[in-house]
Amino acid sequence: MSNLDREAVPSPCGGRGFVVTEPVRELLSPRNVKLGESTEVRRLLPNLGRRMVGAWCFVDHYGPDDIADEPGMQVPPHPHMGLQTVSWLHEGEVLHRDSTGSLQTIRPRQLGLMTTGRAISHSEESPRPHARLLHGAQLWVALPDAHRHTDPHFEFHAELPRVTAPGLAATVLLGTLDTATSPGTTYTPLVGADLALTGSTDVRLPLERDFEYAVLAMSGEAHVDGVPLVPGSMLYLGCGRDELPLRADSDAGLMLLGGEPFEEELIMFWNWIGRSQEEIVQARRDWMEGSRFGEVKGYDGAPLPAPALPAVPLKPRGRTR
C-alpha cells in the first residue's frame, strides 16, 4: 500500500531522543486519509504525537468496508525504498504485484512482506471478483542503514506460528513473541503479532523490557493495561514492561507492535525512506524518468506520479512530537 497524499510532507523520524524509557499509556488518534477510488484508511503512524515504535514507522488501519458493489482497493504502481511493507488482513483479499515479478493474492492472516531495499515498485488491488468485506492493516518497517540498499524481494508466508492462552490466540507476523518466531525476515529486533481475544478474557502477555510497544485496535473493544481501545485507535506503551494486561468482555482483535527503539535519524517522504535531501531528490527523479524502480507488469492503469518536493530543505532528524 502507498502513501497517496498528493500534498506529501516530510516526516522526521528515528533517533532515541524522544523514546519513552518507562511504561506509559499514550492514546493516539488517527487521521482519515483517502486511498484510491473507494478506500479510506485511518493513519496512526506517523502521528503528531508519535513518529515511530521501534522500527515500525507507518500504520494504516482500514475497514471493515463493504465493497460488494465497489472496486475495493485500487493502488496503482508506485515506488518504495529503504523499508519493508507488511500487508495484514482480517477480511478480504489483496492482489500484490511488484517489479521483481512477484504476483500473489494475500488472504486473512497470511503475511505479505516486501523488502524494498534500494528500489522497487508495486501495486495492490482487490481481485475481480472479490469478497464482500475488506478489513486490514498496512504497516512499514524502516530498514537500518546497513541493510537499506539490499536487493528488493517479496516473501509470502501462508502459515505463521501462534501463541495461545485461555481466551487468547496470538499469530506472530514478525520477530518473536514468547516461544514463537515468525519466518519473516527482519533486520532490527522487533515484533508484530495479531491478537484474537474471546469474551471474558483476562490475560497477561509476556513482553521484552528493552522494547517499546504500541497496540492497534482492529475490532471489538478491549482493555489494554486498563485503557479501553476501540477500532482504529492505537495505544503507545513506552518501554520497561515485562508483561501486558489484556481484558475483553466480548470478542476483540488487536495488533501488538514493538521493537528496540530505532537509533538512526531518517527522512520519510511520500513512499521513500532516506537519510538526506539528495537521496529523496534522486529517488523522485528516477521514478518520474522511469528508471531504477522497475516496472509492474499486469496492472490495468498508469503508475502514480510523485508529489512535488517541499520548498524547504529535507533534513534527517530524531523523533519529534
Side-chain angles (χ1 to χ4, degrees):
M1 187 176 293
S2 168
N3 177 1
L4 299 187
D5 285 355
R6 303 309 303 153
E7 302 294 332
V9 295
S11 296
C13 302
R16 287 185 177 247
F18 285 84
V19 173
V20 178
T21 58
E22 58 188 17
V24 297
R25 300 175 187 86
E26 184 180 297
L27 190 61
L28 304 181
S29 298
R31 177 170 63 95
N32 291 336
V33 176
K34 194 73 174 178
L35 188 72
E37 299 176 15
S38 58
T39 303
E40 185 172 85
V41 304
R42 291 165 287 279
R43 185 152 297 161
L44 282 310
L45 286 182
N47 192 291
L48 289 176
R50 183 64 48 189
R51 296 294 185 183
M52 298 180 74
V53 179
W56 300 96
C57 61
F58 183 95
V59 176
D60 274 354
H61 173 254
Y62 54 91
D65 295 325
D66 187 337
I67 59 170
D69 300 318
E70 302 287 344
M73 183 179 293
Q74 297 294 325
V75 182
H78 57 278
H80 284 289
M81 72 176 189
L83 57 98
Q84 292 177 292
T85 67
V86 178
S87 298
W88 190 251
L89 289 169
H90 275 197
E91 294 180 278
E93 305 95 16
V94 171
L95 178 61
H96 166 96
R97 305 174 192 265
D98 67 45
S99 55
T100 71
S102 300
L103 177 65
Q104 180 65 55
T105 299
I106 303 166
R107 296 183 172 87
R109 292 177 173 83
Q110 297 179 339
L111 176 63
L113 176 64
M114 186 176 72
T115 299
T116 72
R118 61 181 177 272
I120 198 172
S121 57
H122 77 140
S123 65
E124 290 184 302
E125 59 188 305
S126 295
R128 302 172 187 173
H130 52 252
R132 181 181 187 89
L133 296 178
L134 181 64
H135 181 207
Q138 183 73 20
L139 313 102
W140 296 356
V141 178
L143 289 172
D145 188 63
H147 298 285
R148 66 191 183 97
H149 298 295
T150 191
D151 292 338
H153 60 275
F154 178 78
E155 300 175 37
F156 174 70
H157 301 284
E159 300 293 333
L160 294 166
R162 302 177 78 198
V163 175
T164 60
L168 168 69
T171 303
V172 184
L173 288 68
L174 289 178
T176 298
L177 178 67
D178 196 19
T179 59
T181 300
S182 167
T185 303
T186 58
Y187 296 90
T188 56
L190 55 75
V191 66
D194 182 271
L195 311 178
L197 305 176
T198 58
S200 302
T201 295
D202 196 339
V203 68
R204 291 178 177 269
L205 194 68
L207 300 181
E208 297 288 337
R209 176 168 284 271
D210 291 339
F211 280 17
E212 60 176 343
Y213 289 95
V215 172
L216 169 66
M218 295 288 289
S219 60
E221 183 174 332
H223 288 73
V224 178
D225 198 17
V227 178
L229 289 188
V230 297
S233 62
M234 189 161 74
L235 184 67
Y236 177 73
L237 297 163
C239 297
R241 296 174 182 268
D242 296 310
E243 59 182 16
L244 181 63
L246 302 171
R247 181 172 65 82
D249 297 325
S250 58
D251 292 357
L254 306 169
M255 291 192 74
L256 175 73
L257 306 175
E260 285 190 359
F262 198 79
E263 291 188 341
E264 298 176 27
E265 297 181 343
L266 50 83
I267 298 170
M268 186 164 70
F269 178 77
W270 198 40
N271 297 301
W272 301 305
I273 291 182
R275 301 300 191 275
S276 69
Q277 163 96 5
E278 291 73 24
E279 286 182 10
I280 301 299
V281 170
Q282 187 63 53
R284 186 183 186 281
R285 181 181 301 119
D286 291 344
W287 174 245
M288 297 300 287
E289 293 176 353
S291 63
R292 178 179 166 192
F293 291 95
E295 179 185 358
V296 178
K297 296 182 179 179
Y299 183 85
D300 185 15
L304 285 173
L309 291 164
V312 297
L314 303 177
K315 296 181 180 180
R317 300 175 184 173
R319 295 169 180 262
T320 60
R321 298 193 62 177

Tab-separated table of all heavy atoms in Angstrom, residues 27-28 30 42 44 59-64 90 135-137 193-195 197 214-224 227-236 252-257:
chain	number	residue	atom	x	y	z
A	27	LEU	N	-2.616	7.520	24.239
A	27	LEU	CA	-3.599	7.163	23.231
A	27	LEU	C	-3.412	8.026	21.983
A	27	LEU	O	-3.410	9.256	22.053
A	27	LEU	CB	-5.009	7.350	23.787
A	27	LEU	CG	-6.158	6.801	22.943
A	27	LEU	CD1	-6.030	5.292	22.756
A	27	LEU	CD2	-7.495	7.161	23.588
A	28	LEU	N	-3.244	7.371	20.823
A	28	LEU	CA	-3.031	8.064	19.567
A	28	LEU	C	-4.311	8.049	18.741
A	28	LEU	O	-4.933	6.998	18.559
A	28	LEU	CB	-1.909	7.388	18.765
A	28	LEU	CG	-0.559	7.245	19.462
A	28	LEU	CD1	0.443	6.589	18.518
A	28	LEU	CD2	-0.037	8.584	19.959
A	30	PRO	N	-6.330	8.645	15.100
A	30	PRO	CA	-5.980	8.505	13.689
A	30	PRO	C	-6.307	9.748	12.877
A	30	PRO	O	-7.073	10.610	13.305
A	30	PRO	CB	-6.854	7.334	13.242
A	30	PRO	CG	-8.077	7.461	14.095
A	30	PRO	CD	-7.583	7.967	15.432
A	42	ARG	N	-7.434	4.838	8.253
A	42	ARG	CA	-7.146	5.590	9.470
A	42	ARG	C	-5.642	5.485	9.717
A	42	ARG	O	-5.143	4.402	10.007
A	42	ARG	CB	-7.963	5.015	10.635
A	42	ARG	CG	-9.448	5.269	10.501
A	42	ARG	CD	-10.282	4.407	11.421
A	42	ARG	NE	-10.329	3.021	10.971
A	42	ARG	CZ	-11.149	2.569	10.012
A	42	ARG	NH1	-11.972	3.409	9.387
A	42	ARG	NH2	-11.146	1.300	9.661
A	44	LEU	N	-2.353	5.911	11.748
A	44	LEU	CA	-1.914	6.025	13.145
A	44	LEU	C	-0.453	6.411	13.266
A	44	LEU	O	-0.059	7.063	14.239
A	44	LEU	CB	-2.149	4.697	13.869
A	44	LEU	CG	-3.568	4.337	14.346
A	44	LEU	CD1	-4.196	5.482	15.139
A	44	LEU	CD2	-4.485	3.954	13.224
A	59	VAL	N	1.582	3.095	9.921
A	59	VAL	CA	0.481	2.187	10.240
A	59	VAL	C	-0.821	2.764	9.704
A	59	VAL	O	-1.219	3.863	10.085
A	59	VAL	CB	0.351	1.953	11.763
A	59	VAL	CG1	-0.872	1.088	12.068
A	59	VAL	CG2	1.612	1.314	12.342
A	60	ASP	N	-1.469	2.025	8.801
A	60	ASP	CA	-2.806	2.344	8.326
A	60	ASP	C	-3.752	1.221	8.732
A	60	ASP	O	-3.425	0.041	8.558
A	60	ASP	CB	-2.847	2.456	6.800
A	60	ASP	CG	-2.473	3.829	6.283
A	60	ASP	OD1	-2.277	4.748	7.100
A	60	ASP	OD2	-2.352	3.981	5.050
A	61	HIS	N	-4.933	1.601	9.251
A	61	HIS	CA	-5.996	0.632	9.523
A	61	HIS	C	-7.167	0.960	8.617
A	61	HIS	O	-7.556	2.120	8.496
A	61	HIS	CB	-6.413	0.715	10.997
A	61	HIS	CG	-7.612	-0.114	11.329
A	61	HIS	ND1	-8.859	0.433	11.560
A	61	HIS	CD2	-7.772	-1.459	11.461
A	61	HIS	CE1	-9.727	-0.530	11.837
A	61	HIS	NE2	-9.097	-1.689	11.776
A	62	TYR	N	-7.737	-0.058	7.965
A	62	TYR	CA	-8.853	0.191	7.060
A	62	TYR	C	-9.947	-0.866	7.239
A	62	TYR	O	-9.675	-2.011	7.599
A	62	TYR	CB	-8.397	0.236	5.598
A	62	TYR	CG	-7.617	-0.967	5.122
A	62	TYR	CD1	-8.266	-2.059	4.543
A	62	TYR	CD2	-6.240	-1.008	5.244
A	62	TYR	CE1	-7.552	-3.159	4.112
A	62	TYR	CE2	-5.517	-2.102	4.812
A	62	TYR	CZ	-6.173	-3.178	4.241
A	62	TYR	OH	-5.456	-4.269	3.820
A	63	GLY	N	-11.195	-0.433	7.034
A	63	GLY	CA	-12.342	-1.322	7.121
A	63	GLY	C	-12.806	-1.565	8.553
A	63	GLY	O	-12.351	-0.906	9.490
A	64	PRO	N	-13.759	-2.532	8.685
A	64	PRO	CA	-14.298	-3.337	7.587
A	64	PRO	C	-15.183	-2.515	6.657
A	64	PRO	O	-16.074	-1.801	7.118
A	64	PRO	CB	-15.095	-4.432	8.298
A	64	PRO	CG	-15.393	-3.872	9.661
A	64	PRO	CD	-14.286	-2.931	10.005
A	90	HIS	N	-7.706	-9.060	7.964
A	90	HIS	CA	-8.668	-9.796	8.767
A	90	HIS	C	-9.821	-10.305	7.904
A	90	HIS	O	-10.413	-11.342	8.208
A	90	HIS	CB	-9.211	-8.921	9.896
A	90	HIS	CG	-8.340	-8.927	11.106
A	90	HIS	ND1	-8.768	-8.506	12.340
A	90	HIS	CD2	-7.040	-9.313	11.286
A	90	HIS	CE1	-7.793	-8.632	13.229
A	90	HIS	NE2	-6.735	-9.104	12.606
A	135	HIS	N	-10.936	-5.657	5.266
A	135	HIS	CA	-10.551	-5.170	6.595
A	135	HIS	C	-9.122	-5.604	6.880
A	135	HIS	O	-8.786	-6.790	6.776
A	135	HIS	CB	-11.485	-5.767	7.655
A	135	HIS	CG	-11.189	-5.317	9.047
A	135	HIS	ND1	-11.498	-6.070	10.162
A	135	HIS	CD2	-10.595	-4.182	9.521
A	135	HIS	CE1	-11.141	-5.426	11.252
A	135	HIS	NE2	-10.575	-4.274	10.886
A	136	GLY	N	-8.261	-4.633	7.201
A	136	GLY	CA	-6.882	-4.999	7.473
A	136	GLY	C	-6.034	-3.830	7.914
A	136	GLY	O	-6.535	-2.754	8.275
A	137	ALA	N	-4.737	-4.049	7.862
A	137	ALA	CA	-3.754	-3.026	8.226
A	137	ALA	C	-2.582	-3.109	7.263
A	137	ALA	O	-2.234	-4.193	6.783
A	137	ALA	CB	-3.272	-3.211	9.659
A	193	ALA	N	2.481	-8.884	16.171
A	193	ALA	CA	1.610	-10.027	16.448
A	193	ALA	C	0.154	-9.618	16.367
A	193	ALA	O	-0.217	-8.509	16.769
A	193	ALA	CB	1.914	-10.619	17.827
A	194	ASP	N	-0.656	-10.519	15.830
A	194	ASP	CA	-2.101	-10.340	15.765
A	194	ASP	C	-2.718	-11.062	16.961
A	194	ASP	O	-2.467	-12.257	17.172
A	194	ASP	CB	-2.622	-10.929	14.455
A	194	ASP	CG	-4.109	-10.741	14.277
A	194	ASP	OD1	-4.883	-11.609	14.722
A	194	ASP	OD2	-4.502	-9.718	13.690
A	195	LEU	N	-3.516	-10.341	17.745
A	195	LEU	CA	-4.076	-10.895	18.980
A	195	LEU	C	-5.581	-11.027	18.849
A	195	LEU	O	-6.288	-10.028	18.677
A	195	LEU	CB	-3.744	-9.981	20.167
A	195	LEU	CG	-2.283	-9.526	20.320
A	195	LEU	CD1	-2.143	-8.600	21.518
A	195	LEU	CD2	-1.346	-10.720	20.438
A	197	LEU	N	-8.862	-12.056	20.873
A	197	LEU	CA	-9.362	-12.272	22.225
A	197	LEU	C	-10.825	-12.699	22.163
A	197	LEU	O	-11.607	-12.148	21.387
A	197	LEU	CB	-9.245	-10.994	23.063
A	197	LEU	CG	-7.870	-10.340	23.169
A	197	LEU	CD1	-7.963	-9.041	23.947
A	197	LEU	CD2	-6.874	-11.274	23.828
A	214	ALA	N	3.378	-0.621	21.102
A	214	ALA	CA	2.084	0.015	20.895
A	214	ALA	C	1.091	-1.077	20.524
A	214	ALA	O	1.473	-2.132	20.004
A	214	ALA	CB	2.140	1.075	19.803
A	215	VAL	N	-0.186	-0.823	20.784
A	215	VAL	CA	-1.242	-1.772	20.436
A	215	VAL	C	-2.268	-1.064	19.561
A	215	VAL	O	-2.789	-0.007	19.932
A	215	VAL	CB	-1.922	-2.353	21.689
A	215	VAL	CG1	-3.143	-3.188	21.303
A	215	VAL	CG2	-0.930	-3.207	22.485
A	216	LEU	N	-2.538	-1.642	18.382
A	216	LEU	CA	-3.543	-1.142	17.453
A	216	LEU	C	-4.823	-1.941	17.621
A	216	LEU	O	-4.794	-3.172	17.602
A	216	LEU	CB	-3.028	-1.278	16.014
A	216	LEU	CG	-4.037	-1.055	14.883
A	216	LEU	CD1	-4.509	0.387	14.855
A	216	LEU	CD2	-3.422	-1.458	13.544
A	217	ALA	N	-5.947	-1.252	17.808
A	217	ALA	CA	-7.237	-1.925	17.932
A	217	ALA	C	-7.813	-2.161	16.540
A	217	ALA	O	-8.035	-1.224	15.781
A	217	ALA	CB	-8.199	-1.081	18.767
A	218	MET	N	-8.078	-3.430	16.217
A	218	MET	CA	-8.607	-3.802	14.910
A	218	MET	C	-10.129	-3.967	14.915
A	218	MET	O	-10.816	-3.530	13.995
A	218	MET	CB	-7.952	-5.109	14.441
A	218	MET	CG	-6.462	-5.011	14.192
A	218	MET	SD	-6.050	-4.073	12.698
A	218	MET	CE	-6.593	-5.203	11.411
A	219	SER	N	-10.668	-4.629	15.955
A	219	SER	CA	-12.107	-4.891	16.009
A	219	SER	C	-12.536	-5.123	17.449
A	219	SER	O	-11.714	-5.472	18.312
A	219	SER	CB	-12.470	-6.114	15.155
A	219	SER	OG	-11.791	-7.267	15.622
A	220	GLY	N	-13.835	-4.930	17.709
A	220	GLY	CA	-14.345	-5.120	19.059
A	220	GLY	C	-13.803	-4.074	20.013
A	220	GLY	O	-13.249	-3.051	19.607
A	221	GLU	N	-13.952	-4.321	21.301
A	221	GLU	CA	-13.408	-3.421	22.318
A	221	GLU	C	-12.664	-4.235	23.358
A	221	GLU	O	-13.161	-5.241	23.864
A	221	GLU	CB	-14.512	-2.609	23.005
A	221	GLU	CG	-13.963	-1.621	24.022
A	221	GLU	CD	-15.020	-0.705	24.612
A	221	GLU	OE1	-16.021	-0.441	23.914
A	221	GLU	OE2	-14.844	-0.260	25.763
A	222	ALA	N	-11.447	-3.801	23.646
A	222	ALA	CA	-10.608	-4.475	24.639
A	222	ALA	C	-9.984	-3.436	25.544
A	222	ALA	O	-9.856	-2.259	25.180
A	222	ALA	CB	-9.531	-5.301	23.950
A	223	HIS	N	-9.589	-3.877	26.732
A	223	HIS	CA	-8.858	-3.022	27.662
A	223	HIS	C	-7.392	-3.453	27.663
A	223	HIS	O	-7.069	-4.612	27.931
A	223	HIS	CB	-9.437	-3.141	29.075
A	223	HIS	CG	-10.779	-2.481	29.221
A	223	HIS	ND1	-11.934	-3.012	28.689
A	223	HIS	CD2	-11.145	-1.310	29.829
A	223	HIS	CE1	-12.960	-2.218	28.973
A	223	HIS	NE2	-12.507	-1.184	29.651
A	224	VAL	N	-6.515	-2.517	27.330
A	224	VAL	CA	-5.079	-2.769	27.278
A	224	VAL	C	-4.426	-2.010	28.413
A	224	VAL	O	-4.455	-0.774	28.433
A	224	VAL	CB	-4.486	-2.342	25.919
A	224	VAL	CG1	-2.976	-2.572	25.896
A	224	VAL	CG2	-5.168	-3.096	24.782
A	227	VAL	N	-6.735	0.521	29.739
A	227	VAL	CA	-7.230	1.573	28.853
A	227	VAL	C	-8.152	0.955	27.805
A	227	VAL	O	-7.733	0.051	27.064
A	227	VAL	CB	-6.073	2.309	28.155
A	227	VAL	CG1	-6.603	3.374	27.208
A	227	VAL	CG2	-5.132	2.918	29.184
A	228	PRO	N	-9.411	1.406	27.699
A	228	PRO	CA	-10.307	0.864	26.667
A	228	PRO	C	-9.905	1.349	25.287
A	228	PRO	O	-9.649	2.538	25.082
A	228	PRO	CB	-11.683	1.392	27.083
A	228	PRO	CG	-11.400	2.619	27.881
A	228	PRO	CD	-10.091	2.392	28.568
A	229	LEU	N	-9.855	0.412	24.327
A	229	LEU	CA	-9.500	0.748	22.946
A	229	LEU	C	-10.635	0.364	22.020
A	229	LEU	O	-11.179	-0.736	22.123
A	229	LEU	CB	-8.226	0.005	22.511
A	229	LEU	CG	-6.887	0.425	23.109
A	229	LEU	CD1	-5.755	-0.301	22.396
A	229	LEU	CD2	-6.692	1.920	23.034
A	230	VAL	N	-10.981	1.270	21.107
A	230	VAL	CA	-11.981	0.996	20.081
A	230	VAL	C	-11.262	0.883	18.743
A	230	VAL	O	-10.145	1.383	18.578
A	230	VAL	CB	-13.055	2.102	20.042
A	230	VAL	CG1	-13.819	2.150	21.354
A	230	VAL	CG2	-12.428	3.466	19.730
A	231	PRO	N	-11.863	0.213	17.754
A	231	PRO	CA	-11.198	0.008	16.467
A	231	PRO	C	-10.725	1.308	15.826
A	231	PRO	O	-11.421	2.317	15.827
A	231	PRO	CB	-12.296	-0.656	15.627
A	231	PRO	CG	-13.142	-1.374	16.623
A	231	PRO	CD	-13.161	-0.478	17.828
A	232	GLY	N	-9.504	1.253	15.283
A	232	GLY	CA	-8.924	2.410	14.626
A	232	GLY	C	-8.137	3.319	15.540
A	232	GLY	O	-7.651	4.358	15.109
A	233	SER	N	-7.983	2.935	16.814
A	233	SER	CA	-7.156	3.712	17.746
A	233	SER	C	-5.908	2.906	18.090
A	233	SER	O	-5.849	1.693	17.870
A	233	SER	CB	-7.936	4.061	19.015
A	233	SER	OG	-8.324	2.890	19.708
A	234	MET	N	-4.898	3.589	18.628
A	234	MET	CA	-3.661	2.912	18.990
A	234	MET	C	-3.143	3.472	20.303
A	234	MET	O	-3.169	4.683	20.529
A	234	MET	CB	-2.602	3.060	17.889
A	234	MET	CG	-1.370	2.196	18.117
A	234	MET	SD	-0.377	1.933	16.606
A	234	MET	CE	0.395	3.523	16.432
A	235	LEU	N	-2.662	2.588	21.154
A	235	LEU	CA	-2.141	2.962	22.464
A	235	LEU	C	-0.639	2.746	22.483
A	235	LEU	O	-0.156	1.620	22.305
A	235	LEU	CB	-2.809	2.126	23.556
A	235	LEU	CG	-2.431	2.466	25.004
A	235	LEU	CD1	-2.954	3.855	25.384
A	235	LEU	CD2	-2.971	1.407	25.962
A	236	TYR	N	0.119	3.838	22.672
A	236	TYR	CA	1.575	3.730	22.825
A	236	TYR	C	1.884	3.428	24.282
A	236	TYR	O	1.336	4.054	25.198
A	236	TYR	CB	2.251	5.032	22.386
A	236	TYR	CG	3.754	5.022	22.597
A	236	TYR	CD1	4.573	4.264	21.770
A	236	TYR	CD2	4.334	5.763	23.617
A	236	TYR	CE1	5.949	4.236	21.961
A	236	TYR	CE2	5.705	5.757	23.802
A	236	TYR	CZ	6.512	4.987	22.978
A	236	TYR	OH	7.871	4.963	23.164
A	252	ALA	N	-12.596	-9.564	20.435
A	252	ALA	CA	-11.870	-8.366	20.009
A	252	ALA	C	-10.597	-8.767	19.282
A	252	ALA	O	-10.035	-9.846	19.520
A	252	ALA	CB	-11.539	-7.478	21.211
A	253	GLY	N	-10.136	-7.887	18.388
A	253	GLY	CA	-8.897	-8.104	17.662
A	253	GLY	C	-7.939	-6.945	17.847
A	253	GLY	O	-8.332	-5.775	17.738
A	254	LEU	N	-6.671	-7.245	18.138
A	254	LEU	CA	-5.634	-6.241	18.363
A	254	LEU	C	-4.393	-6.602	17.559
A	254	LEU	O	-4.221	-7.750	17.142
A	254	LEU	CB	-5.255	-6.167	19.843
A	254	LEU	CG	-6.354	-5.942	20.881
A	254	LEU	CD1	-5.805	-6.173	22.283
A	254	LEU	CD2	-6.916	-4.528	20.747
A	255	MET	N	-3.511	-5.621	17.367
A	255	MET	CA	-2.186	-5.886	16.836
A	255	MET	C	-1.151	-5.304	17.790
A	255	MET	O	-1.228	-4.121	18.156
A	255	MET	CB	-2.005	-5.287	15.446
A	255	MET	CG	-2.827	-5.972	14.370
A	255	MET	SD	-2.337	-5.471	12.694
A	255	MET	CE	-0.784	-6.370	12.522
A	256	LEU	N	-0.196	-6.135	18.191
A	256	LEU	CA	0.911	-5.707	19.044
A	256	LEU	C	2.107	-5.390	18.164
A	256	LEU	O	2.550	-6.226	17.365
A	256	LEU	CB	1.270	-6.816	20.031
A	256	LEU	CG	2.493	-6.546	20.920
A	256	LEU	CD1	2.160	-5.514	21.992
A	256	LEU	CD2	3.005	-7.838	21.549
A	257	LEU	N	2.647	-4.164	18.279
A	257	LEU	CA	3.820	-3.729	17.537
A	257	LEU	C	4.888	-3.299	18.521
A	257	LEU	O	4.602	-2.540	19.455
A	257	LEU	CB	3.474	-2.563	16.610
A	257	LEU	CG	2.304	-2.776	15.646
A	257	LEU	CD1	2.007	-1.486	14.894
A	257	LEU	CD2	2.597	-3.905	14.685
